[in-house]
Amino acid sequence: MIQFNQIPVNFLVPGQYVEFDSSQADGSTPTIPQRILLIGQMLPTGVGSANVATLVSSVDEVAQLAGRGSMLHHMARKLFAANSFTPVYVLAQADAGGATKATRQVTVGGSATANGELDLYVGDTRYAIGVVTGATAAQIATSIAAAITADPDRYVDAV
């Protein structure tokens, strides 16, 4: 005799009845292995090999492989801040032969009329430059370049 949980044994109405017993089934969702691959440019200061996927476990490791301040380093900083559990691979790309750096210019004009702070954003990094009354445009520009150059994780080089 087959035992049912939902269909009573004394149920004598003709017909077809189906019962599913999932009490012995695994109720969890099967795990799917997850991995993250970051692809980006490396700096000449990086010690990693270009075009080789490398398993990494920290931002500092990426900084060594791809160069501190590189595109991959910045990507890894954001990723590890949001997710430190999923295995991460980086695939560093060297600059193309004959490639040149892009350049941008920030123009400072006039002289400061009051003490204050000049906030300059490069990417998502804020640089706070102190300005004193009477500072010339050249002095302010020099202060901007010094503030950016002092940041080891900077996106850009400043002169």
Side-chain angles (χ1 to χ4, degrees):
M1 180 184 223
I2 299 174
Q3 296 293 324
F4 293 102
N5 295 325
Q6 302 297 322
I7 301 173
V9 175
N10 60 355
F11 193 62
L12 303 175
V13 178
Q16 297 174 345
Y17 301 94
V18 177
E19 179 177 307
F20 292 96
D21 180 11
S22 61
S23 63
Q24 301 295 320
D26 182 8
S28 65
T29 304
T31 57
I32 300 171
Q34 301 287 322
R35 291 176 219 71
I36 297 172
L37 174 64
L38 295 178
I39 302 172
Q41 286 178 298
M42 66 185 291
L43 296 175
T45 57
V47 298
S49 299
N51 302 320
V52 176
T54 306
L55 179 64
V56 294
S57 59
S58 71
V59 176
D60 292 332
E61 190 176 356
V62 177
Q64 283 184 326
L65 291 172
R68 188 170 184 152
S70 67
M71 178 191 290
L72 271 177
H73 179 227
H74 287 286
M75 292 166 65
R77 283 177 49 205
K78 296 291 186 180
L79 174 65
F80 281 106
N83 178 350
S84 61
F85 302 106
T86 307
V88 177
Y89 290 83
V90 295
L91 184 64
Q93 301 290 301
D95 287 333
T100 58
K101 290 184 177 182
T103 59
R104 296 292 180 264
Q105 183 173 331
V106 174
T107 303
V108 180
S111 58
T113 57
N115 293 337
E117 181 177 275
L118 170 66
D119 291 323
L120 178 67
Y121 283 84
V122 178
D124 61 350
T125 304
R126 177 179 152 263
Y127 296 98
I129 295 92
V131 178
V132 295
T133 303
T136 65
Q139 290 170 326
I140 296 170
T142 301
S143 297
I144 291 171
I148 293 172
T149 302
D151 180 6
D153 295 329
R154 64 186 177 272
Y155 288 99
V156 297
D157 293 328
V159 293

